[in-house]
Amino acid sequence: MTNRAWWKECVVYQIYPRSFYDSNGDGIGDLRGILQKLDYLKELGIDVVWLCPVYKSPNDDNGYDISNYQDIMDEFGTLADWEKLLAEMHKREMKLVMDLVVNHTSDEHPWFQEARKSKDNPYRDFYIWRPAKAGHEPNNWRSFFGGSAWGYDEQTSEYYLHLFSKKQPDLNWENPQVREEIYTMMDWWLQKGIDGFRMDVINMLSKTPGLPDVPAVTNDRYQFAGQYFVNGPRLMEFLLEMKAKVLSRYDILTVGETPFVTTQDAIMIAGEETGALKMVFQFEHMDLSAETGAEIRTDKSSRLLDLKSVMSRWQKDLEGRAWNSIYLGNHDQPRSVSQFGDDGRYRVESAKLLATFIHMLQGTPYVYQGDEIGMTNVAFESIDDYRDVATRNMYREAVENKGVDPLEALKVVHAKSRDNARTPMQWDPSKQAGFTTGTPWIKVNPNYEEINVAEARANPESVFHYYKKLIRLRKENPVIVYGSYDLLLASHEEIYAFTRTLEEDRLFVILNFSANTSVFHLPEDFAVKSTELLISNYNINPDENIQEFSLHPYEARVYRL
Ligand code: TEU
Ligand code: CA
């Protein structure tokens, strides 16, 4: 049986501050805006907030490029505003998890400003510098945001590594001084009373010595080189050092953002006994739709078997060994209802189904802002309406270098852009969705008149009220948190069904992931004596015989057996 812990029992709400609520009309969400909405989060039942980066930043990548780790970005407010926010959260018995971005800094961070001055500057070795190789970049690694992962610096005629944008130089974790600086900074925030860290691309800290060229798998000049920096040779050493020097001294939630991890990696990084972190974000289920590359996959039901097998493997492999974090969306992904559900006719039903799904699996659920009202993807008419550096770079690369038709490229942007999740939070049907009295930094989704918090709170059948109920159920039923998971109907192409069992207590979760009415038969040996319907997204007869029945489009039910 898994050990009990508060960070297993909580529900985390992710805030993307730039788009949450603007308190002063400059079009940018801010800390005072969040403060004004704490009671809203409390009403929803949230007990932990993960706040995306609010540190000083030139915002090349919306705060993931930090120029001062120990101060607040001007647009978001001041350190005093932040202190007040933390105090008000604690007053409401809510916890605050901060984003930790230490794979890279901004190129405007004083360390990098120093480092680039000369080859013998004391900060030079804080970053990863290499001379040109035969007049070219030091190797063929590709940046996540397109182009080479190397930036040329004229002043010293050398290249620096940047796995992300050219304004995000990678820190050199091989340098013990870098690690000490980071630990000191982390401690500074923990001493202020924060309740944890979400750690940005934390499994990319250790790069393979020699930084070798990666074997080409496409015709492109630059190639994805994950094998040389994902879960690199010294990763565990660094994380365990961080644990020994900082993390182990506090009762905190730590979640590593760890693209490309397997369950074995997760057990190593976040194992109950010997791991360094409390949990990790895995990406296998998010990448199911990404695999087809530029092609947009519309055939959602055939993906269900893949989704079942991925999620079931994570549930079973981690059980009793490590703890899952459960999510279907964040600020880097299309909206969950657009990606996994139906953002048209069955928007409300499918948003509720997905909510049921993330709350009923074993692990800590993460709710991304706006998902609790079923916010959807957006399709802006022009690439100029997009703000995300990754989106803009990809589009330019496709149209300018690869000759992709601009309209086709825009279609991919509509389906995949990170800005889908970054349009302003829709608070009410007034102008700019009640997000700002000014002009928002990115356009609001035009569907705000229909989809907004004011409507959702007033309507007892809304996605919002359904989330509230799920969160309450989780608090009342330890089986939802700690019960073991067992998949049923493994090869059904439309229905995802599973049980959760904690000693005598047993739940049966049944989800129709399709727009069809779907019929199923429970196995003979799955004898059901009496049932209690805990929650459902349709009005159904709670005493219906459940040995065999049909489910409405996107119907979700949870029974206690
Ligand atoms: O994301 C890491 C990451 O792997 C993403 O870049 C991902 O590949 C991409 O977004 C998929 O569309 C983290 C942050 O969550 C992201 O916002 C940052 O841009 C990135 O790190 C760099 O800090
Ligand atoms: Ca503002």
Side-chain angles (χ1 to χ4, degrees):
M1 237 271 302
T2 17
N3 304 319
R4 304 209 163 197
W6 65 264
W7 44 268
K8 295 179 178 175
E9 295 171 11
C10 66
V11 175
V12 182
Y13 187 92
Q14 182 191 350
I15 292 186
Y16 196 69
R18 181 162 289 267
S19 301
F20 193 60
Y21 186 60
D22 174 21
S23 72
N24 63 353
D26 67 354
I28 298 173
D30 45 52
L31 296 178
R32 288 180 182 213
I34 298 171
L35 187 66
Q36 289 180 42
K37 299 297 183 184
L38 287 184
D39 291 328
Y40 166 73
L41 298 179
K42 191 71 196 169
E43 181 187 345
L44 184 57
I46 295 303
D47 25 41
V48 176
V49 168
W50 150 26
L51 192 57
C52 282
V54 294
Y55 316 99
K56 281 245 187 307
S57 165
N59 285 304
D60 186 54
D61 186 20
N62 288 356
Y64 283 93
D65 48 323
I66 297 171
S67 55
N68 182 347
Y69 285 108
Q70 284 163 251
D71 205 349
I72 302 296
M73 182 189 307
D74 292 330
E75 298 97 306
F76 289 175
T78 63
L79 205 49
D81 293 330
W82 180 87
E83 304 260 7
K84 167 100 169 142
L85 179 65
L86 179 68
E88 290 293 324
M89 288 183 67
H90 284 169
K91 208 193 267 176
R92 289 168 177 77
E93 292 182 329
M94 293 162 80
K95 294 179 190 285
L96 178 60
V97 168
M98 297 288 280
D99 219 308
L100 182 78
V101 188
V102 293
N103 174 69
H104 44 268
T105 68
S106 163
D107 65 341
E108 297 181 32
H109 192 289
W111 297 340
F112 192 76
Q113 294 294 310
E114 281 299 311
R116 75 183 344 170
K117 280 184 184 160
S118 69
K119 289 183 188 169
D120 55 11
N121 186 282
Y123 286 92
R124 184 71 170 181
D125 199 34
F126 268 48
Y127 297 87
I128 302 170
W129 295 94
R130 293 289 183 276
K133 211 170 92 186
H136 290 293
E137 293 90 358
N139 67 27
N140 66 347
W141 295 9
R142 181 180 203 281
S143 147
F144 278 96
F145 294 165
S148 170
W150 293 94
Y152 185 67
D153 196 65
E154 304 230 313
Q155 205 155 324
T156 53
S157 309
E158 281 195 339
Y159 289 87
Y160 62 91
L161 182 70
H162 62 85
L163 294 183
F164 294 89
S165 101
K166 62 180 187 305
K167 285 181 67 65
Q168 291 167 302
D170 280 53
L171 282 165
N172 176 16
W173 274 71
E174 303 285 325
N175 181 349
Q177 246 184 301
V178 168
R179 306 203 298 272
E180 283 308 319
E181 290 279 359
I182 298 295
Y183 303 150
T184 306
M185 175 275 286
M186 291 172 71
D187 208 66
W188 186 83
W189 285 103
L190 287 161
Q191 285 296 320
K192 289 192 175 293
I194 67 166
D195 305 288
F197 287 114
R198 174 269 187 188
M199 304 185 177
D200 195 63
V201 289
I202 203 70
N203 62 336
M204 301 188 190
L205 298 183
S206 168
K207 280 81 177 171
T208 298
L211 312 178
D213 275 320
V214 67
V217 293
T218 67
N219 295 328
D220 297 319
R221 176 150 168 215
Y222 307 113
Q223 301 281 319
F224 174 65
Q227 65 196 87
Y228 296 133
F229 60 77
V230 173
N231 307 325
R234 295 185 71 187
L235 175 68
M236 278 318 288
E237 181 196 333
F238 297 156
L239 293 182
L240 289 172
E241 181 183 79
M242 179 191 285
K243 179 187 182 184
K245 294 198 169 174
V246 189
L247 306 175
S248 62
R249 294 189 289 113
Y250 300 90
D251 177 23
I252 52 174
L253 183 162
T254 51
V255 53
E257 190 216 21
T258 51
F260 317 107
V261 282
T262 63
T263 55
Q264 292 316 305
D265 300 328
I267 291 165
M268 183 175 69
I269 297 170
E272 290 265 349
E273 308 298 335
T274 53
L277 308 181
K278 302 286 171 56
M279 49 188 146
V280 299
F281 288 124
Q282 60 91 10
F283 284 79
E284 277 189 72
H285 65 306
M286 303 306 286
D287 292 339
L288 291 176
S289 62
E291 253 143 50
T292 49
E295 219 179 298
I296 302 159
R297 193 147 163 191
T298 47
D299 173 13
K300 283 174 184 154
S301 62
S302 76
R303 241 165 55 200
L304 183 65
L305 293 181
D306 297 342
L307 183 69
K308 285 192 205 183
S309 87
V310 167
M311 298 309 273
S312 300
R313 179 155 38 77
W314 277 87
Q315 293 284 297
K316 291 321 268 183
D317 285 4
L318 264 53
E319 194 174 320
R321 302 188 185 98
W323 192 248
N324 271 290
S325 59
I326 311 286
Y327 73 101
L328 293 173
N330 60 38
H331 64 295
D332 293 333
Q333 301 288 339
R335 283 284 172 182
S336 60
V337 71
S338 303
Q339 173 122 299
F340 294 96
D342 172 353
D343 61 10
R345 176 160 175 206
Y346 296 113
R347 183 185 67 85
V348 170
E349 290 82 357
S350 65
K352 290 176 181 175
L353 168 129
L354 298 173
T356 315
F357 184 53
I358 63 166
H359 284 83
M360 290 298 156
L361 288 170
Q362 193 189 63
T364 299
Y366 288 73
V367 179
Y368 181 64
Q369 72 182 35
D371 279 358
E372 78 278 20
I373 55 168
M375 280 177 63
T376 70
N377 279 358
V378 73
F380 293 135
E381 275 168 30
S382 160
I383 188 66
D384 298 331
D385 292 328
Y386 287 85
R387 298 283 170 266
D388 171 31
V389 59
T391 304
R392 294 168 76 109
N393 286 0
M394 300 307 173
Y395 178 89
R396 199 178 330 114
E397 204 172 83
V399 173
E400 288 172 19
N401 304 354
K402 294 187 180 154
V404 176
D405 175 58
L407 282 177
E408 287 304 310
L410 200 59
K411 266 194 211 160
V412 177
V413 167
H414 290 165
K416 301 275 178 228
S417 173
R418 307 197 297 181
D419 281 340
N420 280 309
R422 299 178 181 185
T423 61
M425 181 74 183
Q426 293 163 206
W427 293 103
D428 62 46
S430 72
K431 211 173 150 211
Q432 311 299 5
F435 162 71
T436 180
T437 55
T439 307
W441 69 277
I442 186 171
K443 286 185 177 171
V444 300
N445 189 318
N447 64 19
Y448 69 89
E449 288 182 39
E450 180 201 344
I451 305 170
N452 61 69
V453 169
E455 184 281 332
R457 283 172 84 186
N459 175 3
E461 302 293 317
S462 68
V463 178
F464 174 79
H465 286 287
Y466 191 88
Y467 263 88
K468 265 178 81 167
K469 185 164 180 192
L470 279 169
I471 295 172
R472 199 169 59 235
L473 282 172
R474 185 181 174 82
K475 304 264 178 274
E476 293 163 355
N477 296 281
V479 61
I480 298 179
V481 179
Y482 294 109
S484 57
Y485 163 100
D486 290 288
L487 183 68
L488 289 168
L489 309 173
S491 52
H492 201 297
E493 290 181 4
E494 295 176 333
I495 289 178
Y496 193 152
F498 58 93
T499 55
R500 300 289 308 282
T501 311
L502 187 67
E503 290 156 14
E504 297 302 293
D505 202 2
R506 195 155 187 227
L507 301 186
F508 173 44
V509 181
I510 182 148
L511 311 164
N512 178 6
F513 266 80
S514 82
N516 308 323
T517 300
S518 197
V519 180
F520 72 98
H521 312 265
L522 282 175
E524 290 291 326
D525 57 348
F526 190 82
V528 176
K529 279 178 260 116
S530 68
T531 59
E532 174 199 353
L533 183 66
L534 288 189
I535 191 165
S536 156
N537 60 351
Y538 280 81
N539 286 317
I540 52 166
N541 172 7
D543 301 321
E544 192 175 352
N545 166 5
I546 70 155
Q547 209 65 37
E548 169 186 328
F549 60 95
S550 63
L551 288 176
H552 299 103
Y554 293 102
E555 182 165 351
R557 304 184 189 187
V558 181
Y559 288 100
R560 165 169 280 126
L561 299 179

